Amino acid sequence: MHRRDGKLIVSATDLVGFLECGHLSALDMAVANGELDKPFFKDATLDLIRDRGGRHEGRYIEQLRADGRVITDLSTGRDLPYQERAEQTIA
């Protein structure tokens, strides 16, 4: 959950969190509103899973490109307005 261009953006994970724990949603909202800092926990297992997932995604994207698909890379331009990034995705 975060704010982009003043709008609250929620993910599927946020919705699952809401269904499981109202307090978690209240904490997430406080972070999105800048009232709290999001806690950081170092976890080697999560780091490994994140790394493997990123490498898998990279290989899959390269396979799509090799198959002639056009991939829009939105990893840059994170400072662009949400609407503009959404339009790039649709295009």
Side-chain angles (χ1 to χ4, degrees):
M1 175 180 312
H2 65 279
R3 291 201 179 274
R4 179 102 177 164
D5 301 334
K7 295 180 183 179
L8 184 65
I9 307 298
V10 296
S11 67
T13 301
D14 296 322
L15 297 175
V16 170
F18 173 78
L19 292 173
E20 293 297 319
C21 179
H23 182 64
L24 173 62
S25 295
L27 292 172
D28 287 344
M29 182 66 85
V31 170
N33 290 334
E35 299 163 2
L36 289 176
D37 290 328
K38 186 172 183 172
F40 174 78
F41 300 98
K42 183 71 175 157
D43 186 324
T45 303
L46 287 177
D47 290 343
L48 177 64
I49 291 169
R50 190 178 300 115
D51 179 61
R52 286 185 177 180
R55 286 187 283 141
H56 168 75
E57 184 175 310
R59 287 191 306 269
Y60 181 65
I61 289 170
E62 288 309 313
Q63 181 61 51
L64 291 172
R65 285 188 174 124
D67 291 344
R69 303 278 184 110
V70 176
I71 306 297
T72 301
D73 183 356
L74 297 176
S75 63
T76 59
R78 293 189 184 271
D79 57 332
L80 295 174
Y82 182 78
Q83 184 61 37
E84 189 172 331
R85 290 173 55 92
E87 289 168 2
Q88 288 178 350
T89 301
I90 292 168

